[in-house]
Amino acid sequence: MSENSLTNIYVISDSAGDTAIKLAHATMSQFPDNNFRVFRKNFIQKLDALETVLTNAKKRDAIIIFTMIDKELNRFVHSFCETNSLFHFDLMSPVVEEMERRTNTAAKREIGAQHHLNENYFKRIKAIEFAAKYDDGRDPKGFLKADVVILGVSRTSKTPLSFLLAQKNLKVANLPIVPQATIPDEIWKVDPKKIIGLTNDPEVLNKFRVERMRSYGLDDDTLYSNMDNILQELEFADELYKKIGCPVINVAQRSIEETAAIILEKLGVEDKTFQ
Amino acid sequence: MSENSLTNIYVISDSAGDTAIKLAHATMSQFPDNNFRVFRKNFIQKLDALETVLTNAKKRDAIIIFTMIDKELNRFVHSFCETNSLFHFDLMSPVVEEMERRTNTAAKREIGAQHHLNENYFKRIKAIEFAAKYDDGRDPKGFLKADVVILGVSRTSKTPLSFLLAQKNLKVANLPIVPQATIPDEIWKVDPKKIIGLTNDPEVLNKFRVERMRSYGLDDDTLYSNMDNILQELEFADELYKKIGCPVINVAQRSIEETAAIILEKLGVEDKTFQ
């Protein structure tokens, strides 16, 4: 095995290249002992720019992952890579061509069509602005307008989770749950089917809090990190979630992507990315 | 052509399915006259669950886009689809297998490896929390800590753009630019190479503002929507950006994805998603 070998990956796209970069990322994570260098070449829309990129990729014997909707540019990548024996993976063509066969219509072949400033795009922008406005219980009015209300004890990634769901066009408001605070009246007016309670393992919370205390230069054996206190907090949240009657998710060992997928499932909410 | 025909797409993944759903989205946007129904089947990690999904997909003669890192599950999709003549596109295997050939090592074949709670993941979570904390000029201290400072007149999507860049592991603070406001001192202490000024076409701003006034039930011919006023605002911003010496991006007709890609390029900042 060639340990610590370096693999160059060229991600080439006529648009923002988000799909191809995700694939590169997923692949790299399967080879943790390998070193990678990713060359991200976005908005390549001219033949001469494409040729320059491919010539450099060839010098590095790179793996090429590409999305090119323009037929001429797409063919150029294929022919260049075949002539020069470069590995290349065309993400777009197989499914687009299958669609053309099925519908007996030609694809629009329009660059960056998924980034068009259409109704769907503006819905998403609004959802992200909604998440910013109603993050961290900033304004209780948000709970009544939200598609999803997230309640959570500290360090359950409420904010990043809210923005991830916002990217799926869901309006999300979140509220930190601490025993000292009173729960805004609005929460009791929200359909419990729209509410999710986040909890965590006490050991995980303790670890976070000890670290936080240390980073503040404080004694790490404070009330904040005290295990009894954490258990009380979790119990308070647990009882609140039961009273509300909402589903509960333990986020320990879960990424926000995984938690988001579970939330959509639990709430029976569709991923509205394309609606 | 079969207008208004319905195409069923099954996006099947043993993990969150984010890569495959992006591809489905990009494809659909190339066929705007076609109707699609997307069945998103995430976290399919057992053979019997997979068989159920595929059996239903077969009934709908669906297009299958899948990411399955487990070899047995992956092979099952291939053999089921070949037996039943179902179109299927395997996103993961070609690049993963090429990597195995190149490095002469086996892929970890670990489900959801890219969602592992590693250092990179926690950096991203922190970047999103940073964006929430320092959104909308909430705390000027953020400007000095940020990787990128975004200045922008109203309706330039500062907030969604900040969160998109945060997902690329960049710490972003943003500040709305209005002629009446004083610019916080901190801005002048930031390296201009880290600052981006957003502007917009006056016609676009006027349209937004007229709509906003109407949605408030107000007369749409107010100062806020007044063209002279808009031109003054844009001029103020323009002069400020010149004084700072920062690059300027006009976001009219640009999606936040496109603007984000331009920002990374202009600032010479790498997409830090994998660092």
Side-chain angles (χ1 to χ4, degrees):
Chain A
M1 105 160 224
S2 31
E3 199 153 5
N4 294 322
S5 63
L6 177 73
T7 307
N8 294 304
I9 299 183
Y10 267 66
V11 170
I12 310 174
S13 175
D14 50 16
S15 182
D18 287 333
T19 315
I21 200 81
K22 269 202 165 291
L23 180 65
H25 188 198
T27 305
M28 290 190 292
S29 63
Q30 297 296 337
F31 296 89
D33 296 326
N34 194 76
N35 292 315
F36 291 94
R37 211 165 141 197
V38 178
F39 296 83
R40 193 167 179 176
K41 302 295 170 185
N42 300 329
F43 301 110
I44 303 296
Q45 298 171 358
K46 294 267 157 61
L47 207 54
D48 55 348
L50 181 57
E51 192 167 6
T52 306
V53 166
L54 288 171
T55 305
N56 289 327
K58 186 189 155 193
K59 285 180 198 153
R60 297 193 166 97
D61 188 27
I63 284 181
I64 291 168
I65 303 175
F66 70 107
T67 50
M68 284 279 166
I69 194 68
D70 180 85
K71 263 198 176 167
E72 194 192 354
L73 295 177
N74 189 296
R75 278 187 196 136
F76 187 80
V77 181
H78 281 281
S79 72
F80 185 100
C81 292
E82 277 152 29
T83 306
N84 293 283
S85 304
L86 271 177
F87 175 85
H88 54 298
F89 184 55
D90 181 345
L91 252 86
M92 285 295 281
S93 300
V95 187
V96 165
E97 285 167 7
E98 168 67 11
M99 275 301 300
E100 289 184 323
R101 271 191 297 275
R102 282 186 180 225
T103 60
N104 203 23
T105 56
K108 267 171 52 188
R109 301 264 168 204
E110 196 173 343
I111 286 171
Q114 79 267 38
H115 297 129
H116 275 190
L117 306 181
N118 54 19
E119 199 187 339
N120 185 53
Y121 172 83
F122 287 109
K123 260 195 203 167
R124 185 158 53 89
I125 294 297
K126 275 188 186 159
I128 298 171
E129 288 171 344
F130 187 97
K133 193 168 176 188
Y134 299 114
D135 182 38
D136 206 33
R138 235 166 238 146
D139 179 352
K141 283 199 293 291
F143 301 127
L144 299 169
K145 300 177 192 169
D147 296 320
V148 184
V149 174
I150 294 174
L151 312 179
V153 298
S154 77
R155 310 313 303 167
T156 45
S157 294
K158 291 178 290 296
T159 298
L161 187 58
S162 298
F163 284 97
L164 185 66
L165 289 167
Q167 292 216 312
K168 299 177 193 296
N169 284 12
L170 291 166
K171 286 184 284 175
V172 186
N174 73 63
L175 178 72
I177 301 299
V178 282
Q180 297 80 8
T182 42
I183 303 301
D185 288 343
E186 284 83 353
I187 291 293
W188 304 105
K189 294 175 193 155
V190 179
D191 182 351
K193 290 197 190 85
K194 287 185 175 180
I195 302 179
I196 285 284
L198 300 182
T199 190
N200 210 334
D201 287 350
E203 296 75 23
V204 174
L205 287 181
N206 192 48
K207 193 174 150 271
F208 271 127
R209 291 180 184 184
V210 168
E211 275 167 16
R212 190 184 275 188
M213 285 299 104
R214 281 185 192 147
S215 77
Y216 290 166
L218 297 173
D219 185 355
D220 54 30
D221 186 24
T222 64
L223 250 190
Y224 183 62
S225 63
N226 182 280
M227 201 52 152
D228 276 353
N229 197 42
I230 287 173
L231 290 173
Q232 262 182 45
E233 262 189 64
L234 290 176
E235 211 176 281
F236 174 85
D238 200 38
E239 281 166 15
L240 176 69
Y241 301 157
K242 277 210 184 98
K243 219 157 130 189
I244 293 172
C246 63
V248 177
I249 302 174
N250 186 329
V251 303
Q253 316 305 335
R254 282 203 176 102
S255 70
I256 54 168
E257 285 78 8
E258 289 166 334
T259 306
I262 295 168
I263 288 179
L264 295 181
E265 215 178 280
K266 288 223 186 220
L267 297 190
V269 178
E270 285 281 311
D271 185 324
K272 291 186 177 180
T273 311
F274 314 120
Q275 286 172 26
Chain B
M1 104 162 222
S2 31
E3 199 154 3
N4 295 322
S5 63
L6 177 73
T7 307
N8 294 305
I9 300 183
Y10 267 65
V11 170
I12 310 173
S13 175
D14 50 14
S15 182
D18 287 334
T19 315
I21 200 81
K22 270 204 165 291
L23 180 65
H25 188 199
T27 305
M28 290 191 291
S29 62
Q30 297 296 336
F31 297 88
D33 298 326
N34 194 76
N35 292 315
F36 290 94
R37 212 164 140 199
V38 177
F39 296 82
R40 193 167 178 178
K41 301 296 170 185
N42 300 330
F43 303 109
I44 303 295
Q45 297 170 357
K46 293 267 155 63
L47 208 54
D48 55 346
L50 181 57
E51 192 167 7
T52 307
V53 167
L54 289 170
T55 305
N56 289 327
K58 186 191 157 191
K59 285 180 197 150
R60 298 193 164 97
D61 189 28
I63 284 180
I64 291 167
I65 303 174
F66 70 106
T67 50
M68 283 280 165
I69 194 67
D70 180 85
K71 263 196 176 168
E72 194 192 355
L73 296 177
N74 188 295
R75 278 186 196 138
F76 187 80
V77 181
H78 281 282
S79 72
F80 184 99
C81 292
E82 277 152 28
T83 307
N84 292 284
S85 305
L86 271 177
F87 176 85
H88 53 297
F89 184 56
D90 181 345
L91 254 86
M92 284 296 280
S93 299
V95 186
V96 165
E97 286 167 7
E98 167 67 11
M99 274 301 299
E100 289 185 323
R101 271 191 296 275
R102 280 186 181 226
T103 60
N104 202 25
T105 56
K108 266 170 53 187
R109 301 267 168 201
E110 194 171 345
I111 287 172
Q114 79 267 38
H115 297 130
H116 275 191
L117 307 181
N118 53 21
E119 199 188 339
N120 185 52
Y121 172 83
F122 287 110
K123 261 195 201 168
R124 184 158 54 90
I125 293 298
K126 276 191 184 157
I128 298 172
E129 288 171 346
F130 187 97
K133 193 167 176 187
Y134 299 113
D135 183 37
D136 206 35
R138 232 166 243 148
D139 179 351
K141 283 198 295 291
F143 301 127
L144 298 171
K145 299 178 193 168
D147 295 320
V148 184
V149 173
I150 294 175
L151 312 179
V153 299
S154 77
R155 310 312 304 166
T156 45
S157 294
K158 291 178 291 296
T159 298
L161 186 59
S162 298
F163 284 98
L164 185 65
L165 289 167
Q167 292 217 313
K168 300 178 193 296
N169 283 13
L170 291 166
K171 286 184 285 175
V172 186
N174 72 64
L175 178 72
I177 300 299
V178 284
Q180 297 79 8
T182 42
I183 303 300
D185 290 341
E186 283 82 354
I187 291 293
W188 304 105
K189 294 175 194 155
V190 178
D191 181 352
K193 292 198 189 86
K194 286 185 176 181
I195 302 180
I196 285 285
L198 300 183
T199 190
N200 209 334
D201 287 350
E203 296 75 22
V204 174
L205 286 181
N206 192 48
K207 192 173 152 270
F208 270 127
R209 290 180 185 186
V210 168
E211 274 166 18
R212 189 185 277 190
M213 285 300 103
R214 280 185 193 147
S215 77
Y216 289 166
L218 297 172
D219 186 356
D220 54 29
D221 186 25
T222 64
L223 249 189
Y224 183 63
S225 62
N226 181 280
M227 202 52 153
D228 275 353
N229 196 43
I230 286 172
L231 290 173
Q232 262 182 45
E233 262 189 63
L234 290 177
E235 211 175 281
F236 175 85
D238 201 37
E239 283 166 13
L240 176 70
Y241 300 158
K242 277 208 184 99
K243 219 157 129 191
I244 293 172
C246 63
V248 177
I249 302 174
N250 185 329
V251 302
Q253 316 305 335
R254 283 206 174 98
S255 70
I256 54 168
E257 284 79 7
E258 290 166 333
T259 306
I262 296 168
I263 288 178
L264 295 182
E265 215 177 282
K266 288 223 187 219
L267 297 190
V269 178
E270 286 280 313
D271 185 325
K272 291 185 177 180
T273 311
F274 314 120
Q275 285 172 25

